[in-house]
Amino acid sequence: MKINSFGVVSTAIQRPSTHFDERPLGEEISLLVIHNISLPAGQFATPFVDDLFMGCIDCQAHPSFADLKGLRVSAHCFIKRSGEIVQYVPFSKRAWHAGQSEFLGRSQCNDFSIGIELEGTDTTAYTQNQYNALQSLTKTLIYKYPAITRERVVGHCHIAPGRKTDPGDSFDWNHYFAAIF
């Protein structure tokens, strides 16, 4: 797995989203944020996460989607339960994944972070294929962006406490970190 100068992962499926913008000039990528997502909640292998990140979700397809109308969000990558990685935004660009957030007293985490979504929920165990893909991707990211250290790999819950809970209690941080650091 390699990341080119544009921030594109060589082994990921590329699905270019329009939900991104430029990072602030001179901004160093220094934070990795782990999220989870499933649409509808708790259902896997649906087309709806892709539709959301691509900006074409049918908000009438499920009652829980009403709140998604007009929402413009993205992640840099999405890791399916199979371990397949889909990239929506090059790492060199600012994906819209963190929302209102703060890390070590600094707000606007999207400016300096990479967001990785895992297909899952706070309470459903993640698959070994997902851990393998995330660990491999994390190692590659750390090599490309050395300001991302163990202390700067966090969950969405850590940068938006009280507002977000992902990746949840089902995420095994020790297992994840053991293969990286």
Side-chain angles (χ1 to χ4, degrees), residues 73-127:
V73 298
S74 60
H76 289 94
C77 292
F78 173 57
I79 302 177
K80 296 180 181 185
R81 309 252 338 139
S82 65
E84 180 179 67
I85 301 173
V86 180
Q87 185 169 20
Y88 291 94
V89 177
F91 301 125
S92 61
K93 305 297 181 186
R94 179 172 51 191
W96 303 335
H97 63 93
Q100 185 179 356
S101 54
E102 182 179 310
F103 183 74
L104 297 179
R106 188 167 173 209
S107 62
Q108 304 298 324
C109 292
N110 285 339
D111 289 351
F112 56 96
S113 69
I114 290 172
I116 307 297
E117 294 273 3
L118 298 174
E119 185 175 30
T121 72
D122 287 5
T123 58
T124 304
Y126 297 94
T127 69

Side-chain angles (χ1 to χ4, degrees), residues 127-167:
T127 69
Q128 187 57 51
N129 288 336
Q130 287 179 296
Y131 282 110
N132 293 345
L134 180 60
Q135 289 162 333
S136 179
L137 180 57
T138 301
K139 289 177 192 176
T140 304
L141 288 168
I142 290 169
Y143 180 78
K144 178 79 172 173
Y145 308 105
I148 298 174
T149 62
R150 186 176 203 261
E151 296 75 28
R152 298 184 71 85
V153 178
V154 299
H156 200 185
C157 57
H158 300 115
I159 62 168
R163 187 175 74 81
K164 294 296 182 176
T165 57
D166 55 315

Side-chain angles (χ1 to χ4, degrees), residues 15 19 39 47-58 88:
R15 295 277 295 147
H19 296 180
L39 292 173
F48 300 116
V49 171
D50 185 75
D51 291 348
L52 177 66
F53 293 157
M54 294 301 290
C56 62
I57 191 164
D58 177 1
Y88 291 94

